[in-house]
Amino acid sequence: MEQKPSLDVVLLAISSLYNNPDTSEKERASHWLEDLQKSVHAWTIADELLHLKRDLESCYFAAQTMRTKIQQCFYELPVDAHVSLRDSLLDHISQINEHTDTVIVTQLCVALADLVLQMPNWTQPLYDLINKFSQTNVWPLLEILTVLPEELEGRSVRLGENRRTEILDNLKLCSPTVNEFLKHCCNSFGDDLNGNIQGNIKIIRCFTSWVTVNAISLDSLVDNVIITRVFEVLNQKFDGQKLQPVTGSLHDSATDCVCTILRCLEDNNNHQVLEMLLFNKVLTLEVPYHLSVANEDQEKSMNYCRIFTELGESFLNRIISNSNRDQQHFTIKVLDLILMCVGHHDYEVAEITFNLWFLLSEELYQRHDYNCTDAFKPYVERLITALCRHSQMEPDHEGLLESGDDFKEFRMKVFELIKDVVFIVGGSNCFRQMFLNLQVPGVTWDASEASLFVMQAVAKSILTDENDIVPKVVEAILNLPENTHVAVKYTSILLLGELCEWIERHPATLDLVLNFLVCCLSQPRIGGASATALQNICAACNDHMPRHIPVLLQLLGQIDTLAIANSAIIGLLKGVTAIVSCMPHNDIPATLRELCLLQTNPLCELMKQNAPTGRGMKTDPVMWLDRLSSIFRNLYVPLAEGETNPCKSTALEVWPVLSHVMEKYQGDVRIMERCCRSIRFMLRCVSQQLSELLQPLISQLVQIYNTHQHSCFLYVGSILVDEYAVDPNCIAGLLEMLKALINPTFNLLQQENGLRNHPDTVDDFFRLCARLLQRAPMEFLQCTALPLILQCSLLACSLDHKEANMSVMKFFNDLISSGHTGKQHPDYDKRKAMIQSILNEYGQQLITNLIHACVFYLHSYMLSEMADVFVELLQLDHEVTSKWLTTALDSLPKQGHGGIVTATPDQLQAIYISITRSDTSKSVTYALKDLTRLYR
């Protein structure tokens, strides 16, 4: 947007965005306003709109624009304009009154907070703001004081560690003044908590914000008036049974405050007086919790549960370290409070506590101290009993729980939690207790199903030689009455599948179980569970299963007539394939051929009929390709040296079908990806013994790739290199394949934003190059396309896509590594000279690109792969790499916009020393993270 638009035009666009019933006009207005916000004219437009105060929509747009510009485009303003921007914002904020919309206030206050963070020549911003607004504009002042620490911690603005430290030190210096201001506000609002709800919320939120960033020290909290106010809110006043409730939002703010302080204590446990104060105060919340339950105020019940759980997590290490079967630490009573909440009638309250139990189980598992673990058995027993009750469906529920149902999601979390904690009480003990629940006279179907559900979770923790309870359970399941609720049948069948290891040790039960499951396959709604159970049993009992293969093949031939999800069928195929892998080699070809024909025949029929592809239906080629992939993926046949792979003949029969699929559906990326996946697993299965397919497969890949640049073709290319580059006769053909794939790949990546828009192509292309480097380094290094590949890889260093960047770094890693490894190989000297020549040309650019990518483009979790490259370079030539690193670090800006110090020479020197003295990727990663913090 070159010219500044008039205010009338802007107001018209805003009005159209919010009020025009025509969606196309709304969209047009939205795009135009987005372009305006990106332009430099947005600064003055926003300021003028705020002064104009035409309507809510235009004021909100202006405030939001001002915040966005300060956050993301502050560099657009010359330094001498900072003061006038500040004064303008202060002027807008000074005009806020009780009629100003909250969202506008928030946007303006965040904008001012972000300005404070980026304006180092404003030396005393907090004192200035308190002096200016503490008597006249308390509401916006509280909001500014709240959002400033939040913006500092949230890192929405790239400040750098030095500026953040400077701001935090400033906050700590001002904290006594802020504390006094908050105390004054508390006194002004009086003791009537409901008298000024919003005021109390703002005070508590502001206080919490400062505690979160440790601007207010924990030592000063013991007699802090805000802490007293917070617990007044949480200890709801009551007279007899008459409750004087505190409003929900105020209760939420108080809860957030206590939880924040407890988290700070967890990170810094050297404040015993404060810990005991909070511990005792939290214990007093038991009565208010019960009142919230009695009054069916679930939001408050959840808040108390959050506090109890946070307290438990803060004291957890202390509780565990000082508890055993003979004595327990006094703070363990917090587990009783937490279990009290787990006993709440609503499962959402219980779910809040799950993380604590995961932490408890992990710590006890790591300690491996039975004496300590025994202290927690009673608590975990109570937990599992409560979870079993929470897992009960509604008594009038018909059918099964639907996918996406919140309660079903909760039960899956329960399932994982029970699996995690069951070792504390013992899987067999838990299984026995649930079995006893089933024996209770008059037990309802929903209670039975919940007990079976828990048994399913612990089934694999049972000793396989157990002969008391499990046989009775298996017998009961095999003899379920016809009128049993479908949910009970469903869970019972899944339980059988989880007992697969026990069944493997008790083969006498196998035929009965298989017959039962096969019969259940055809029954509505439980067929999928039967397929899953069969998969588990096939995988665990494969030594006993080959004699059942004819029946299983017959079953698979009819399975599409049953109402079973494709995912369950794929799982069953996986189980059957595990059996095939254990068969005598002479028996494999015929069985495997029949198994594959069940997938390829429908595929051929689809292509012959030229039927339209229906996603998720039998006319969808993807369905059959996924099944074929499952077969080859799970086949593992150990071979003696020189032995022909028994899967080869089947693979040669399958290939023409896959080739036809590629030709017919070449424009459909979804089908192509699945087809390439099938080819990948087929190649992996038979490995080098499919060399006769190499030439036709490469020819077809290259031909289609020239028209349709599906990245999955590059991936198949890397699989071919992996499998066949060990054969010197195949290398020339594989290099020709690479050359043929380069032009269409680079044409795609050289488009505008090509690297960013096609990360999968970057990922698969450099995986292909890395594989060639590993398998045929000399041939790859002599490839005429290498300079183009290197230039592309240097550009891709800053690509912030994890997998793509990882492949690029792996390529560099292998490239550099080939210059100093394999010293015994005859071509070592020549190879080393070639790598040295490459680095002489590109080394400095590589190091500079890596440093700039770390600082300006990549997420911190992506730095470890870059660290590997630095380690390889230092091992290859420490002296030259150190010089390159010095130049790269010197190229970084030492100051940001407005004079903010980003990195001092001493800090950069420390980074340099850390990297150059490191010999592990881990230590280089730490150094790179230290570097990035200086600029973010």
Side-chain angles (χ1 to χ4, degrees), residues 31 103 282 320 390 534 543 705 739 796 805 841 893:
H31 289 312
V103 291
V282 170
I320 294 172
H390 277 302
L534 278 170
D543 288 341
Y705 189 74
K739 290 177 186 175
N805 196 279
E841 185 174 354

Side-chain angles (χ1 to χ4, degrees), residues 410-420 453-454 456-458 498:
F410 167 76
R411 288 197 3 145
M412 293 315 300
K413 292 175 184 175
V414 167
F415 192 85
E416 293 303 318
L417 178 57
I418 291 175
K419 284 173 67 175
D420 246 46
F453 175 74
V454 175
Q456 180 194 343
V458 304
E498 291 297 305

Side-chain angles (χ1 to χ4, degrees), residues 169-185:
D169 289 343
N170 194 280
L171 293 181
K172 289 177 179 177
L173 195 64
C174 296
S175 63
T177 304
V178 172
N179 259 326
E180 282 302 312
F181 170 65
L182 294 176
K183 182 179 178 181
H184 167 73
C185 291

Side-chain angles (χ1 to χ4, degrees), residues 161-371:
E161 193 71 13
N162 291 318
R163 179 61 178 165
R164 288 185 192 281
T165 302
E166 184 183 345
I167 293 287
L168 185 55
D169 289 343
N170 194 280
L171 293 181
K172 289 177 179 177
L173 195 64
C174 296
S175 63
T177 304
V178 172
N179 259 326
E180 282 302 312
F181 170 65
L182 294 176
K183 182 179 178 181
H184 167 73
C185 291
C186 266
N187 294 333
S188 299
F189 296 151
D191 294 331
D192 182 4
L193 297 177
N194 287 326
N196 194 326
I197 294 169
Q198 289 306 314
N200 279 297
I201 290 173
K202 291 181 190 307
I203 293 169
I204 294 170
R205 272 191 61 224
C206 182
F207 177 77
T208 305
S209 178
W210 281 62
V211 171
T212 300
V213 296
N214 298 311
I216 294 178
S217 70
L218 295 177
D219 290 325
S220 68
L221 300 186
V222 174
D223 56 356
N224 192 288
V225 68
I226 311 296
I227 300 291
T228 304
R229 177 62 53 92
V230 161
F231 278 96
E232 285 176 6
V233 170
L234 294 170
N235 275 291
Q236 300 182 35
K237 298 177 182 178
F238 60 97
D239 178 17
Q241 295 303 309
K242 187 178 180 183
L243 190 67
Q244 297 175 358
V246 171
T247 185
S249 51
L250 179 56
H251 203 272
D252 294 342
S253 299
T255 301
D256 290 339
C257 182
V258 174
C259 289
T260 296
I261 298 170
L262 289 171
R263 278 193 292 272
C264 291
L265 281 174
E266 190 177 351
D267 297 333
N268 186 353
N269 56 10
N270 297 320
H271 301 272
Q272 293 184 0
V273 176
L274 178 61
E275 285 176 347
M276 289 314 303
L277 172 76
L278 288 172
F279 182 79
N280 291 324
K281 281 185 174 293
V282 170
L283 291 187
T284 66
L285 300 180
E286 182 176 355
V287 172
Y289 168 79
H290 286 303
L291 282 169
S292 72
V293 176
N295 285 275
E296 298 183 0
D297 192 339
Q298 186 171 324
E299 294 300 320
K300 289 195 178 70
S301 298
M302 294 175 79
N303 281 342
Y304 291 121
C305 183
R306 282 177 56 205
I307 294 171
F308 298 148
T309 304
E310 201 67 62
L311 181 68
E313 290 184 15
S314 297
F315 282 86
L316 190 60
N317 284 330
R318 206 166 323 176
I319 293 170
I320 294 172
S321 299
N322 295 281
S323 298
N324 55 49
R325 64 170 69 101
D326 300 317
Q327 64 177 20
Q328 296 176 342
H329 195 254
F330 72 94
T331 56
I332 202 170
K333 66 179 70 172
V334 72
L335 295 185
D336 290 312
L337 293 178
I338 294 167
L339 283 167
M340 174 182 73
C341 296
V342 175
H344 190 279
H345 62 83
D346 194 291
Y347 68 82
E348 289 184 11
V349 180
E351 191 176 340
I352 293 169
T353 73
F354 281 14
N355 187 59
L356 174 127
W357 302 111
F358 279 122
L359 293 173
L360 174 68
S361 67
E362 186 177 354
E363 185 64 28
L364 291 176
Y365 186 80
Q366 293 295 333
R367 289 177 182 245
H368 201 63
D369 181 347
Y370 295 116
N371 188 23

Side-chain angles (χ1 to χ4, degrees), residues 88-97 105 108-109 112 129 133 137 140-141 144:
S88 180
L89 274 174
L90 291 173
D91 182 44
H92 292 311
I93 289 171
S94 67
Q95 297 178 46
I96 290 171
N97 55 45
V105 175
L108 287 174
C109 291
L112 185 63
L129 290 168
F133 294 129
N137 294 79
L141 177 58
I144 294 165

Side-chain angles (χ1 to χ4, degrees), residues 377-479:
K377 276 187 178 180
Y379 298 98
V380 175
E381 285 171 353
R382 288 163 60 192
L383 170 69
I384 293 175
T385 299
L387 292 177
C388 181
R389 180 178 58 78
H390 277 302
S391 298
Q392 287 181 217
M393 299 183 195
E394 293 295 332
D396 58 352
H397 184 87
E398 296 180 1
L400 304 173
L401 295 172
E402 298 291 332
S403 294
D405 183 280
D406 288 343
F407 182 58
K408 185 171 184 177
E409 295 295 322
F410 167 76
R411 288 197 3 145
M412 293 315 300
K413 292 175 184 175
V414 167
F415 192 85
E416 293 303 318
L417 178 57
I418 291 175
K419 284 173 67 175
D420 246 46
V421 303
V422 72
F423 76 91
I424 299 171
V425 297
S428 296
N429 291 335
C430 181
F431 198 86
R432 179 185 298 274
Q433 182 56 53
M434 293 301 118
F435 179 71
L436 292 175
N437 290 352
L438 296 173
Q439 311 304 308
V440 174
V443 63
T444 58
W445 76 264
D446 50 306
S448 297
E449 191 277 338
S451 295
L452 288 164
F453 175 74
V454 175
M455 293 165 84
Q456 180 194 343
V458 304
K460 287 185 177 171
S461 302
I462 300 170
L463 297 174
T464 52
D465 58 0
E466 204 280 341
N467 283 310
D468 181 18
I469 301 297
V470 178
K472 295 175 183 175
V473 171
V474 171
E475 183 183 1
I477 292 173
L478 297 180
N479 293 286

